[in-house]
Amino acid sequence: MTTDNKDAGAALERLSSNLQRVDALTQRLLAAVAHKKPVRTSLQGPSQELFTKAATAYVTEMMSNPSRMMEQQIAYWGQSLKHYVASQQNNSDRRFADPMWSEHPYFNFIKQQYLLNTQAMETAVAQMDNLDTRERQKLDFFSRQIMDMFSPSNFLGTNPQALARAVETDGESLVRGLENLVRDIEANNGDLMVTLTDQGAFDVGKNLATTPGKVVFSNHMFELIQYSPTTETVQDVPLVIFPPWINKFYIMDLRPENSLVKWVVDQGFTLFVVSWINPDASMRETGVDTYIEDGFLTAIAKVKEICDVPQLNAAGYCIGGTTLSLTLALMVKRGDTSVKSATLFTTLTDFSEQGEMSVFLGDDFVDGIAAEVEEFGMLDNMFMSRTFSFLRSNDLIYGPAIRHYMMGETPPAFDLLYWNGDGTNLPGRMAIEYLRGLCQQNRFADGGFEVCGEQLYLSDVAVPLLAVACETDHIAAWDQSYRGVQQMQGTERRFILAESGHVAGIINPPQRNKYGYYTNPDLQADPVDWQSNAEHHAGSWWPAWQDWLLLHCGNTVKARKPKATKGLKLIDAPGTYVQK
């Protein structure tokens, strides 16, 4: 038998083996999908009414202004012909980075025609009349979702890189991809959630969240972690950070080289961090008032008790910052001056504009969430994770799906993506109070938000305050964060605009020297003028925050070692709540 015959025989044997594996995997796939829990129609996309109204508006426009429709069609046909004859344009779209998309006539034409089709759809949506602002935002967002979904890169038959890999591996890449797909569906009880990172590469408390410290207090809402000092003396006024309970706190303590927690401790601050419980159905009646009374105010009281101080500095991240602001307004009503200064990270307090998130804040979606929490007592973390993923679908859904399912690649070991997938649930009552009272009705900034027996107003917040927003934040738009700070009444307010997004802009250690930031003391300017006249600074904003905190810290004292409140046995950080 010749060498060529032997090679052909081996390839045929590999292909036959792969086909057998495909058969077994298919049976697993069918069994996994059978466990899928039905999802309410209202939580899967906008109502049909939106698309019906859009179609009606399009037809009305076509009848009343046929010249515009004809102009669009002629332009579309002309561009199609141009790309059919010679489609050689370069494109920076990362989906089409493989040289075959530009060098091979067939794939180049498919790419160019897809880009042309999306451009035509975007133009049609942009020129559509008879839609209000919110309807236009939703139509634009979900039209883009449809366009992204139908990219030729998402389909095996029109993805040159995936086809080449399949040929090179005698189908092995497709079998490995099917294994990855089945594994993801099995892990999510029949739902498809793309695994973004190697789940086995990380262990919270072992190679993530490793800064030394102790849980010094706990209740039904949170564990309070006090971190061990690394300096002989510390600032007299301690610092407590309230992370969001939508995610877990260790985004601030991933690894030593990018840990905000470790950096703060190394600068000589006594640091406490709240680690929230992951809610289950038993917490259905937990509301914003519970988070304030049993969370924020209790943590503040315990920090003061442990450190034997009358005041502390507080910081809140995302919804943790929103609720810290509510807490500060309540403390004004009660005459409580325990907080000496406050820092807000990527925090919205004025929800008059919600940016890209607005498409998920209409009554159709919120009514669906209300029905979900009424039945189950909580909002499962899957809904929040999926929502945030669709805000960046090419990066967080389709791109990873291509690599894992078509190319058969193993997910990378990426600490940030591991944290991103380690989601938490939301208590039923709290979720609805937040979505209705704050996001939809904007009562904190407009009319007053009633909680804990008081009517709270954004203008009540008057402590010295520094707010950090992020330039490309798709969750908490920086200009809206800025507008909230403008409405606060403290005589000492500072605003920092960090480069990058919701996470990377905050977790930006100085040693990386990666992203800079902007400052401007004029908080009377509108956001556009503020940014255009702001001073740019190279490097991380963390040292600037340190300088500001030092203005509110008093003298230095001997370093404080963690000590528990009475009756509690110390346990090591990161505690137990973060593991649930």
Side-chain angles (χ1 to χ4, degrees):
M1 182 180 290
T2 66
T3 302
D4 288 345
N5 287 338
K6 288 181 180 179
D7 290 343
L12 184 61
E13 186 176 341
R14 286 195 300 271
L15 182 59
S16 177
S17 173
N18 285 334
L19 288 174
Q20 292 178 11
R21 291 165 62 191
V22 167
D23 184 60
L25 287 166
T26 301
Q27 298 305 313
R28 282 176 57 191
L29 178 63
L30 293 173
V33 171
H35 291 91
K36 177 177 170 59
K37 186 181 78 171
V39 178
R40 298 175 194 279
T41 303
S42 56
L43 295 177
Q44 298 185 57
S47 66
Q48 293 301 312
E49 181 183 355
L50 174 66
F51 294 109
T52 301
K53 188 169 184 178
T56 302
Y58 187 84
V59 172
T60 301
E61 176 69 16
M62 183 173 62
M63 298 297 291
S64 62
N65 190 5
S67 61
R68 179 194 282 185
M69 298 297 106
M70 186 61 69
E71 180 183 340
Q72 290 178 357
Q73 290 301 313
I74 290 174
Y76 175 77
W77 294 334
Q79 289 296 316
S80 295
L81 182 59
K82 172 186 174 183
H83 290 302
Y84 180 77
V85 174
S87 90
Q88 299 299 323
Q89 298 181 17
N90 294 322
N91 189 278
S92 60
D93 194 320
R94 287 187 294 177
R95 294 173 295 179
F96 307 116
D98 188 275
M100 285 286 283
W101 286 111
S102 298
E103 296 171 359
H104 193 286
Y106 170 71
F107 291 113
N108 193 10
F109 172 72
I110 289 175
K111 175 193 71 174
Q112 296 290 358
Q113 196 63 34
Y114 164 75
L115 294 173
L116 178 61
N117 291 342
T118 59
Q119 184 182 37
M121 186 177 291
E122 288 169 352
T123 300
V125 170
Q127 294 181 353
M128 195 171 291
D129 297 327
N130 303 316
L131 296 176
D132 63 31
T133 301
R134 184 173 289 274
E135 288 172 333
R136 186 177 297 280
Q137 287 175 330
K138 291 175 67 174
L139 182 62
D140 177 68
F141 178 83
F142 288 105
S143 297
R144 281 190 284 112
Q145 293 297 318
I146 293 171
M147 292 181 246
D148 289 343
M149 181 175 65
F150 282 104
S151 167
S153 60
N154 294 340
F155 300 91
L156 177 63
T158 51
N159 187 315
Q161 195 174 11
L163 289 171
R165 180 69 61 84
V167 172
E168 291 168 3
T169 62
D170 296 315
E172 176 69 21
S173 61
L174 298 180
V175 178
R176 290 198 304 266
L178 183 56
E179 288 176 336
N180 292 339
L181 174 65
V182 172
R183 191 180 303 116
D184 283 352
I185 292 177
E186 287 176 338
N188 291 284
N189 300 315
D191 270 309
L192 177 56
M193 300 284 287
V194 184
T195 297
L196 299 178
T197 188
D198 182 358
Q199 296 293 309
F202 300 102
D203 189 346
V204 177
K206 298 293 179 59
N207 59 359
L208 295 177
T210 59
T211 302
K214 303 287 185 180
V215 174
V216 294
F217 173 80
S218 68
N219 65 8
H220 67 111
M221 293 296 294
F222 70 94
E223 289 180 328
L224 182 65
I225 301 171
Q226 180 181 354
Y227 287 92
S228 302
T230 58
T231 54
E232 293 185 1
T233 61
V234 293
Q235 299 301 316
D236 184 32
V237 179
L239 171 67
V240 58
I241 299 179
F242 295 96
W245 52 90
I246 291 175
N247 298 104
K248 295 183 179 180
F249 83 90
Y250 66 90
I251 184 59
M252 298 181 291
D253 190 29
L254 290 172
R255 291 171 290 113
E257 58 266 32
N258 63 357
S259 171
L260 175 62
V261 166
K262 182 180 184 303
W263 183 86
V264 168
V265 171
D266 287 345
Q267 308 318 303
F269 295 96
T270 300
L271 177 64
F272 295 80
V273 173
V274 165
S275 175
W276 299 105
I277 191 75
N278 188 1
D280 58 23
S282 68
M283 295 178 66
R284 77 163 50 238
E285 290 304 319
T286 297
V288 174
D289 56 350
T290 319
Y291 275 91
I292 290 176
E293 292 281 16
D294 298 351
F296 286 75
L297 291 174
T298 298
I300 289 168
K302 291 302 176 183
V303 171
K304 288 170 54 182
E305 176 188 331
I306 291 170
C307 294
D308 191 23
V309 292
Q311 288 186 305
L312 52 77
N313 295 313
Y317 196 158
C318 191
I319 192 176
T322 304
T323 314
L324 174 59
S325 300
L326 288 167
T327 303
L328 295 172
L330 178 64
M331 295 172 80
V332 170
K333 301 283 188 182
R334 295 180 175 180
D336 187 342
T337 60
S338 297
V339 175
K340 190 176 180 68
S341 78
T343 303
L344 306 177
F345 302 152
T346 63
T347 293
L348 291 180
T349 50
D350 180 338
F351 291 84
S352 55
E353 296 288 341
Q354 298 105 2
E356 294 183 47
M357 285 297 296
S358 64
V359 300
F360 297 106
L361 295 173
D363 280 334
D364 48 357
F365 282 97
V366 177
D367 288 348
I369 290 173
E372 185 77 10
V373 301
E374 175 65 27
E375 181 176 354
F376 298 104
M378 66 178 189
L379 185 65
D380 190 278
N381 71 79
M382 179 270 292
F383 292 106
M384 296 299 295
S385 176
R386 184 166 288 175
T387 296
F388 290 134
S389 292
F390 273 110
L391 292 175
R392 292 292 180 270
S393 57
N394 285 324
D395 293 332
L396 297 178
I397 299 177
Y398 302 123
I402 291 168
R403 293 191 295 273
H404 304 162
Y405 305 150
M406 285 192 206
M407 308 292 289
E409 296 177 1
T410 301
F414 190 3
D415 55 358
L416 177 59
L417 291 179
Y418 179 87
W419 166 84
N420 187 67
D422 191 10
T424 57
N425 307 317
L426 296 181
R429 182 161 70 89
M430 172 267 144
I432 299 306
E433 289 174 346
Y434 177 76
L435 292 172
R436 295 283 195 212
L438 293 173
C439 295
Q440 283 192 320
Q441 300 167 11
N442 195 28
R443 293 210 302 264
F444 190 29
D446 185 11
F449 184 75
E450 186 174 346
V451 64
C452 300
E454 297 284 356
Q455 198 80 0
L456 305 181
Y457 301 89
L458 185 52
S459 57
D460 291 333
V461 179
V463 299
L465 181 132
L466 182 145
V468 184
C470 298
E471 191 173 19
T472 59
D473 195 330
H474 61 288
I475 296 172
W478 82 264
D479 53 350
Q480 199 60 27
S481 177
Y482 173 77
R483 289 188 180 98
V485 173
Q486 284 184 306
Q487 296 173 63
M488 298 176 183
Q489 296 300 310
T491 56
E492 185 183 352
R493 289 171 296 157
R494 298 189 187 182
F495 189 82
I496 289 176
L497 178 59
E499 293 177 329
S500 196
H502 192 73
V503 172
I506 298 299
I507 309 305
N508 181 26
Q511 63 270 24
R512 286 189 176 178
N513 197 30
K514 191 170 185 180
Y515 301 117
Y517 63 97
Y518 299 87
T519 59
N520 183 345
D522 181 12
L523 297 188
Q524 301 302 313
D526 65 40
V528 174
D529 290 340
W530 185 94
Q531 186 176 26
S532 63
N533 293 304
E535 180 182 359
H536 180 264
H537 306 266
S540 172
W541 58 269
W542 291 8
W545 181 40
Q546 175 188 1
D547 292 341
W548 186 82
L549 282 174
L550 290 174
L551 300 175
H552 307 279
C553 281
N555 300 317
T556 57
V557 297
K558 184 179 179 180
R560 306 177 177 104
K561 294 182 178 180
K563 62 179 182 180
T565 52
K566 187 176 181 180
L568 179 71
K569 181 180 178 181
L570 289 173
I571 61 173
D572 289 335
T576 61
Y577 285 8
V578 74
Q579 306 284 359
K580 298 178 181 178

